């Protein structure tokens, strides 16, 4: 019985994982979440709340780069509602602008990856990365549920 | 039978007359009363009132980024129809450039436009009514320094019966207390400043407080979260859920940069709110945070009885 339960749970988890992988809302929410945590680490450093650490910055930028590169494709037409999404209908009404903003975000992150070598260059280039968050959220994200 | 009809007709006429009298616009000040206050406006102080009040969020000309170009015309979708905030630039014909100070004061504090007609409470005078006359006179001084922007906003597009402007007078009788905010002597100056900013110029409750059938704010559930008027998303509760875990410093940060403790960045209407509040001195954002943290937690509303 125990074994059967284990198998059922394992199967359920597997199905859940597969489902999540084909569920763009869950996927983009997970990416946004990790993007947010990565951005927060950099933001705290830029405020001087935490000490500057180049390795952490580079890790965070990599997370942001991966997230930003993948996310734009995770807003198909059938993912407008449900799953606790905070995406606003404006995304699909202005899809070209929305995609262009993601492209700009990727570009700004790449520029930061190439240019940040020390604390001074971090202070100079990080704000351009952060600026993308609010600029996009203003138009395309509202709290839901 | 004839007599019954006559009585009914008289009742209808009397009712209509009563409604007309009750719904009359009641500006807060006459010109003489306003002059008697003897206030002088300071544009630099008024700039801070302008950003505390978030005037530009609704009155800024759409499609451009300058918060000081106040040509109006942004569409605000609500369950009652679409509102188009007017031009409040210093343009003498299309804006408020030729308005007397008392006209602007009465608009902000009592929702009455020059010459009488009511303004709709989409203009948040339900909150602005709590502003001090000094803040209003400073704001007026600042507005006069801003560029004239020609052009008028489209007319509001509202569903009947909300399209009857005069009826706003009856709404005000029910929901506008027309009273300022008396400082609570039992609380610190910082707390009182925070409450003033939140409940007065900051008009936080206009989005974060749930509304009743006629769009009135449910003050028993002040700041407890509400759906956004356009139906997409919500303004979260500031008295329950994750927000209770925020520290004063977290709130100050969110109101300065938009960054939340979990690395989210505030979106939708809050982006403009943050942009505006970031213009205030840090002490004001501290005061707002201290006041919000002092609110007693409030869970979700009790389920309706079957």
């Amino acid at each position: 019985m125990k074994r059967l339960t284990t198998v059922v749970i394992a199967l359920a988890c597997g199905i859940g994982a597969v489902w999540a992988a084909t569920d763009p809302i869950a996927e983009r929410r997970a990416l946004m979440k990790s993007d947010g945590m990565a951005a927060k680490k950099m933001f705290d450093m830029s405020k001087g709340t935490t000490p500057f650490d180049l390795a952490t910055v580079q890790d965070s930028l990599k997370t942001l780069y991966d997230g930003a590169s993948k996310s734009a494709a995770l807003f198909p037409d059938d993912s407008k509602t449900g799953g606790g999404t905070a995406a606003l209908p404006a995304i699909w009404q202005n899809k070209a602008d929305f995609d262009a903003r993601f492209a700009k975000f990727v570009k700004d992150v790449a520029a930061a990856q190439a240019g940040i070598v020390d604390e001074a260059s971090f202070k100079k280039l990080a704000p351009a990365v952060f600026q993308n968050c609010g600029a996009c959220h203003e138009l395309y994200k509202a709290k839901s549920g | 039978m004839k007599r019954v009809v006559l009585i009914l007709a008289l009742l209808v006429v009397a009712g209509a007359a009563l409604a007309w009298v009750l719904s009359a616009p009641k500006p807060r000040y006459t010109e003489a009363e306003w002059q008697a206050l003897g206030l002088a406006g300071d544009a630099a102080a008024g700039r801070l009132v302008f950003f505390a009040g978030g005037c530009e969020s609704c009155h800024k000309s759409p499609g451009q980024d300058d918060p000081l170009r106040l040509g109006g015309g942004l569409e605000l979708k609500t369950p009652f129809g679409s509102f188009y905030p007017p031009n409040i630039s210093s343009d003498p014909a299309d804006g408020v450039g030729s308005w007397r100070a008392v006209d602007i004061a009465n608009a902000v504090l009592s929702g009455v436009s020059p010459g009488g007609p009511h303004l709709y409470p989409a203009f948040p005078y339900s909150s602005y009514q709590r502003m001090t006359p000094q803040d209003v006179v400073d704001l007026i001084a600042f507005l006069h320094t801003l560029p004239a922007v020609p052009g008028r906003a489209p007319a509001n597009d509202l569903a009947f019966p909300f399209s009857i402007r005069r009826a706003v007078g009856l709404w005000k009788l029910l929901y506008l207390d027309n009273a300022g905010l008396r400082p609570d002597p039992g609380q610190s100056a910082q707390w009182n400043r925070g409450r003033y900013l939140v409940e007065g110029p900051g008009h936080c409750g206009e989005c974060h407080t749930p509304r009743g059938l006629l769009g009135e704010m449910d003050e028993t559930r002040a700041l407890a979260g509400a759906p956004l008027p356009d139906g997409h998303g919500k303004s979260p509760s500031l008295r329950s859920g994750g927000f209770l875990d925020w520290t004063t410093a977290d709130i100050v940060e969110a109101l300065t940069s938009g960054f939340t403790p979990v690395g989210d960045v505030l979106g939708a209407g809050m982006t403009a709110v943050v942009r505006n509040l970031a213009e205030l001195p840090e002490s004001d954002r501290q005061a707002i945070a201290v006041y919000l943290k002092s609110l007693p937690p409030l869970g979700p509303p009790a389920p309706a009885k079957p």
Side-chain angles (χ1 to χ4, degrees):
Chain A
M1 186 60 201
K2 226 180 193 176
R3 180 174 293 183
L4 181 65
T5 311
T6 314
V7 169
V8 168
I9 290 173
L11 270 175
C13 288
I15 290 166
V18 170
W19 182 71
T22 55
D23 174 5
I25 293 178
E27 215 174 324
R28 74 200 185 206
R29 288 188 68 193
L31 284 175
M32 284 290 170
K33 184 100 191 147
S34 51
D35 278 4
M37 297 316 288
K40 182 82 165 72
K41 279 185 201 163
M42 287 173 53
F43 185 72
D44 287 347
M45 274 182 224
S46 76
K47 299 270 295 184
T49 321
T50 52
F52 174 77
D53 176 59
L54 185 60
T56 307
V57 170
Q58 286 168 337
D59 270 1
S60 301
L61 284 171
K62 188 170 180 320
T63 304
L64 286 177
Y65 188 86
D66 291 347
S69 315
K70 285 179 198 157
S71 292
L74 294 172
F75 292 84
D77 282 345
D78 60 355
S79 68
K80 292 179 186 174
T81 54
T85 184
L88 286 174
I91 291 176
W92 291 274
Q93 290 153 13
N94 308 283
K95 201 66 199 307
D97 176 68
F98 181 74
D99 289 342
R101 283 170 188 272
F102 259 121
K104 178 184 172 294
F105 184 28
V106 173
K107 203 174 122 238
D108 290 346
V109 173
Q113 281 178 310
I116 293 177
V117 290
D118 55 14
E119 187 162 7
S121 49
F122 168 71
K123 290 244 153 99
K124 192 160 151 261
L125 292 170
V129 173
F130 302 142
Q131 189 273 334
N132 287 282
C133 309
C136 210
H137 286 189
E138 176 171 21
L139 299 170
Y140 300 123
K141 173 181 181 282
K143 276 261 183 193
S144 59
Chain B
M1 185 62 203
K2 236 180 188 171
R3 178 175 289 185
V4 174
V5 171
L6 186 69
I7 289 172
L8 276 177
L10 279 174
L11 277 176
V12 166
V13 169
L18 184 66
W20 185 255
V21 170
L22 287 177
S23 64
K26 297 178 191 67
R28 175 88 64 96
Y29 295 104
T30 63
E31 169 74 7
E33 285 166 345
W34 180 254
Q35 292 299 339
L37 295 177
L39 300 171
D42 172 42
R47 181 180 172 278
L48 299 181
V49 177
F50 177 83
F51 285 111
C55 311
E56 64 100 1
S57 298
C58 288
H59 290 283
K60 183 181 76 168
S61 300
Q64 55 93 44
D65 289 331
D66 183 354
L68 303 181
R69 282 188 66 80
L70 304 171
L74 179 78
E75 182 183 9
L76 300 181
K77 288 183 190 155
T78 76
F80 309 106
S82 285
F83 291 96
Y84 294 91
N87 184 331
I88 59 162
S89 79
S90 58
D91 190 281
D94 296 332
V96 298
S98 59
W99 291 27
R100 299 172 302 170
V102 66
D103 295 330
I104 299 182
N106 283 329
V108 170
L109 296 171
S110 42
V112 178
S113 56
H118 292 292
L119 296 165
Y120 281 98
F123 178 38
Y125 53 77
S126 305
S127 302
Y128 290 166
Q129 63 169 339
R130 304 185 180 110
M131 286 168 67
T132 62
Q134 183 63 55
D135 270 2
V136 175
V137 85
D138 290 341
L139 174 66
I140 294 169
F142 179 65
L143 288 177
H144 282 311
T145 68
L146 300 182
V149 180
R152 286 179 175 256
N156 293 332
D157 181 14
L158 304 177
F160 184 83
F162 308 110
S163 50
I164 306 173
R165 202 175 265 276
R166 182 81 181 198
V168 170
L170 300 176
W171 186 91
K172 287 179 177 176
L173 276 186
L174 292 171
Y175 303 121
L176 208 65
D177 58 17
N178 219 1
L181 204 56
R182 292 196 182 283
D184 180 345
Q187 298 279 357
S188 68
Q190 187 184 38
W191 182 94
N192 276 298
R193 175 70 180 159
R195 182 175 69 147
Y196 174 73
L197 288 167
V198 166
E199 297 191 5
H203 67 283
C204 308
E206 302 278 344
C207 286
H208 286 277
T209 298
R211 290 179 184 272
L213 279 181
L214 292 174
E216 78 283 9
M217 284 183 272
D218 176 2
E219 296 296 350
T220 65
R221 302 193 53 77
L223 302 176
L228 285 171
D230 66 0
H232 300 301
K234 65 178 287 187
S235 301
S237 172
L238 308 180
R239 298 179 64 181
S240 63
F243 187 76
L244 295 183
D245 299 333
W246 290 29
T247 63
T248 307
D250 289 338
I251 299 173
V252 172
E253 185 58 64
L255 295 179
T256 309
S257 67
F259 264 92
T260 75
V262 295
D264 191 6
V265 172
L266 297 175
M270 267 315 273
T271 311
V273 173
V274 169
R275 194 162 53 223
N276 290 325
L277 293 184
E279 297 287 333
L280 303 186
E282 166 123 354
S283 59
D284 276 347
R285 293 186 294 277
Q286 291 274 6
I288 291 172
V290 163
Y291 174 67
L292 292 179
K293 286 300 284 184
S294 79
L295 295 173
L298 186 67
K305 296 207 172 76

